[in-house]
Amino acid sequence: MALLRVALTGCHLPSTYCRLRLLLPRQMGTTTRQSSDTISRLRESGLLKTQGLIGGKWVDSYDGKTIKVENPATGELLANVPFMGKKETEDAISSAYSTFNSWSKLSASERGKRLRKWYELLLAHKDDLALLITLEQGKPLKEALGEVAYGASFIEFFAEEAKRVYCDIIPTTQNDRRLLVIKQPVGVVGAITPWNFPLGMIARKAGPALACGCTLVVKPSEYTPLTALAAAELALQAGIPPGALNVVLGNASEIGDALLESTQVRKITFTGSTAVGKKLMAGSANTVKKVSLELGGNAPCIVFDDADIDVAVKGTLAAKFRNSGQTCVCANRILVQEGIYDKFAKAFSESVQKLQVGNGLEEGVVQGPLINETAVEKVERLVKDATSKGANIVLGGKRHSLGMTFYEPTVIGNANNEMLVCREEIFGPVASLLRFKTEEEAISIANDTNAGLAAYLFTQSIPRSWRVSEALEYGLVGINEGLISTEVAPFGGVKQSGLGREGSKYGIDEYLEIKYVCFGNI
Ligand code: NAP
């Protein structure tokens, strides 16, 4: 893909390039920056930023290269943004490094006040931020508004948490000594984020990092830079000083390598695919950086015979179809006990059939497009593999008549753990139902994966809730609930779903170093 993009430098494609766009999700060029009609609906036009942010200054890429940002629902060009690389990243790192001293020396309460102001500005501009999210990412406007509230909640939480970075005094082993533990910010943080939550994933990192005194270089996904830039503009307005929060856009591997190679960057925090996460983890070894990774999932959703069927259908629907199935915690395998299988499959499919698909800006739409053609092709491949191995299509199973990157909300019956649809992260609106007999079998199927992010179970039995949630090898477990993420609880995976936690009182530890101080001869 990188080669194709380079080959397209400077080429101008006609506006009716739909099919080509689908094959090549983003094209590079050196075109003049322009914005679309829909984007002009922003209430505050100043939030449409189309340059990177380095040291508090909005800048183009040094060689003038740009990359298009497009609406996945329509193919409409939203903006051209800089396609940056090594040099810009190095300057952003220098800027973060030189700001670290002054930012980390501010009192925790002062940092907290500025974060609180950022939180207030994010909420004050929630409509504009949600519009940007829907336009560049595709999720329905109501969900986008939910993401703004979700992202802002992390800034608010860590604005408060800044004041609670408590240290310890350890009982001494020698009378003439006093032993202290202090916690200090790790330093410059490189934060790389995905497209599926363009604001939420940045807020989960920038909130705790800034709260404890770190500074950041953020690299958002090439698909969703506009939300990140608008949020950064609001951070500046809130008094987060120039250089504390830098945003670079463009060549992912070049930016990633510059962050990894720098000895000034002391921490890498990443949300995205497991494959890229592994590369970043390996690349961090050379300079021995602190690393936290929020990677892909393969969530089991277990519906037991004793479940309340309405609660199970509602919870599974939410866990599966939010963001058209494009979340790391989406139910990827729906395990249904044999006694309730037919009843659940019928009720669930009836609910799925009602999901309205379309452009996320339209009233009533609850399922937007997938992010690009590659995502649709992946879904097609998984569905084909499942049917070739004996699964049946209960509902959907093909591209939506709207075309573009729309796929029909789909239910597949009689799936099993050998099918790719159960082994890979689907990241699309496909629900695969697996039949099981016993609790032990369900746990065994659920744990038979390298992923370990979220799991769900539906049962009315308290003993079973305890037994199963303890046996599941996952970082998050939802019991009779399909949407469980909140700023006050730790979010993160085990096995190959990642390292570390975001949110909650534990989330700030990822950005702190522990220092032991010994007072002797007292
Ligand atoms: P991705 O392809 O791994 O990309 C994530 C970010 O990494 C993007 O900014 C991407 O840049 C960048 N990147 C790609 N190659 C890189 C490299 N060699 N060096 C440095 N950065 C690089 O993932 P995605 O498709 O955007 O996101 C979907 C994945 O994220 C899914 O697997 C999902 O499960 C996971 N996710 C996990 C969580 C969680 O909390 N565990 C939350 C949300 C999503 P470009 O986009 O510019 O290429």
Side-chain angles (χ1 to χ4, degrees):
M1 182 55 85
L3 283 175
L4 281 169
R5 283 191 187 126
V6 171
L8 279 164
T9 302
C11 102
H12 298 263
L13 297 166
S15 57
T16 53
Y17 66 93
C18 251
R19 182 66 197 164
L20 188 55
R21 174 198 172 267
L22 296 177
L23 290 170
L24 302 168
R26 296 293 184 274
Q27 291 85 31
M28 275 175 50
T30 49
T31 47
T32 321
R33 209 167 284 115
Q34 62 187 103
S35 61
S36 70
D37 288 347
T38 39
I39 220 160
S40 63
R41 290 192 211 168
L42 285 175
R43 293 174 190 193
E44 191 172 315
S45 58
L47 283 186
L48 178 62
K49 293 290 173 197
T50 53
Q51 292 170 292
L53 181 63
I54 300 178
K57 295 204 166 60
W58 295 101
V59 291
D60 290 321
S61 60
Y62 297 165
D63 61 6
K65 277 186 192 149
T66 59
I67 187 164
K68 293 169 194 267
V69 185
E70 296 164 338
N71 181 338
T74 61
E76 174 190 34
L77 174 66
L78 299 172
N80 291 294
V81 296
F83 191 77
M84 297 172 155
K86 185 171 188 224
K87 288 203 180 83
E88 296 88 340
T89 309
E90 286 172 348
D91 286 350
I93 294 168
S94 298
S95 154
Y97 188 73
S98 55
T99 312
F100 174 69
N101 196 32
S102 53
W103 177 246
S104 59
K105 294 277 182 308
L106 283 183
S107 69
S109 130
E110 181 57 33
R111 286 195 302 270
K113 275 184 202 148
R114 297 187 195 196
L115 282 169
R116 172 89 205 174
K117 180 74 187 160
W118 189 21
Y119 157 75
E120 286 164 2
L121 286 173
L122 290 168
L123 288 190
H125 294 89
K126 65 180 193 305
D127 292 322
D128 278 351
L129 291 166
L131 178 64
L132 287 173
I133 292 172
T134 297
L135 287 176
E136 64 181 354
Q137 197 272 324
K139 70 180 61 166
L141 204 49
K142 200 169 156 204
E143 266 192 56
L145 278 165
E147 184 184 339
V148 177
Y150 176 77
S153 74
F154 284 85
I155 306 300
E156 182 195 35
F157 182 85
F158 286 106
E160 295 157 355
E161 210 60 10
K163 292 179 276 190
R164 298 189 194 112
V165 179
Y166 299 126
C167 303
D168 299 316
I169 296 181
I170 298 175
T172 184
T173 51
Q174 288 174 242
N175 265 344
D176 66 342
R177 290 187 174 191
R178 296 295 178 269
L179 316 181
L180 271 66
V181 170
I182 62 170
K183 294 181 185 169
Q184 294 179 304
V186 67
V188 175
V189 174
I192 303 176
T193 55
W195 48 263
N196 61 345
F197 289 93
L199 180 67
M201 298 303 107
I202 291 175
R204 287 202 325 201
K205 299 175 188 320
L210 289 168
C212 67
C214 295
T215 53
L216 297 102
V217 176
V218 176
K219 194 217 99 46
S221 166
E222 64 174 308
Y223 294 102
T224 55
L226 301 179
T227 309
L229 296 172
E233 162 64 18
L234 293 172
L236 281 178
Q237 290 179 21
I240 306 295
L245 180 68
N246 304 275
V247 184
V248 289
L249 319 160
N251 188 326
S253 57
E254 223 176 285
I255 294 171
D257 287 349
L259 291 169
L260 293 173
E261 282 159 18
S262 167
T263 50
Q264 293 180 334
V265 175
R266 296 305 316 137
K267 156 98 191 176
I268 292 288
T269 172
F270 171 74
T271 298
S273 61
T274 303
V276 174
K278 286 179 182 178
K279 274 191 205 165
L280 295 174
M281 191 175 176
S284 294
N286 218 16
T287 49
V288 193
K289 296 187 201 309
K290 203 171 159 94
V291 178
S292 45
L293 304 170
E294 296 286 349
L295 309 177
N298 181 0
C301 176
I302 311 173
V303 183
F304 287 99
D305 281 348
D306 61 9
D308 176 321
I309 195 144
D310 293 336
V311 170
V313 167
K314 195 165 160 246
T316 308
L317 200 70
K320 174 68 247 181
F321 286 97
R322 190 163 60 114
N323 202 7
S324 300
Q326 302 171 109
T327 85
C328 51
V329 291
C330 270
N332 211 53
R333 297 169 292 158
I334 302 163
L335 283 62
V336 191
Q337 202 160 10
E338 58 184 359
I340 204 176
Y341 183 94
D342 291 337
K343 205 171 160 196
F344 177 86
K346 183 169 181 288
F348 182 67
S349 303
E350 282 168 7
S351 297
V352 174
Q353 193 150 30
K354 291 183 194 141
L355 298 174
Q356 192 179 325
V357 181
N359 184 332
L361 292 182
E362 286 164 19
E363 192 64 35
V365 164
V366 291
Q367 291 288 286
L370 299 193
I371 191 70
N372 58 31
E373 175 71 6
T374 310
V376 185
E377 283 169 356
K378 177 178 183 185
V379 168
E380 286 181 321
R381 177 172 61 81
L382 299 185
V383 171
K384 194 172 165 203
D385 175 80
T387 51
S388 75
K389 291 176 179 162
N392 61 299
I393 304 282
V394 181
L395 190 72
K398 58 182 190 306
R399 288 178 190 243
H400 196 276
S401 56
L402 283 170
M404 297 294 296
T405 53
F406 290 97
Y407 195 87
E408 289 183 353
T410 294
V411 180
I412 294 180
N414 294 314
N416 66 54
N417 230 19
E418 302 315 309
M419 297 171 179
L420 295 179
V421 79
C422 295
R423 302 227 67 87
E424 295 184 19
E425 196 180 24
I426 304 169
F427 245 56
V430 175
S432 44
L433 307 186
L434 294 79
R435 207 184 282 262
F436 72 90
K437 286 192 172 69
T438 64
E439 186 179 302
E440 293 68 31
E441 186 191 1
I443 292 167
S444 160
I445 296 172
N447 287 340
D448 178 19
T449 167
N450 285 330
L453 187 56
Y456 308 90
L457 58 128
F458 291 89
T459 173
Q460 295 192 75
S461 158
I462 291 174
R464 171 172 272 161
S465 302
W466 276 106
R467 278 195 308 271
V468 178
S469 54
E470 285 176 2
L472 288 169
E473 296 165 355
Y474 288 83
L476 323 166
V477 178
I479 301 169
N480 295 323
E481 185 56 69
L483 297 178
I484 60 171
S485 180
T486 155
E487 76 281 11
V488 299
F491 188 104
V494 301
K495 296 198 245 170
Q496 294 184 26
S497 284
L499 285 177
R501 294 294 178 268
E502 292 191 330
S504 83
K505 67 173 184 174
Y506 306 103
I508 205 158
D509 293 341
E510 306 292 336
Y511 300 91
L512 291 166
E513 290 286 12
I514 285 177
K515 186 180 280 176
Y516 159 51
V517 181
C518 174
F519 282 81
N521 293 297
I522 57 174

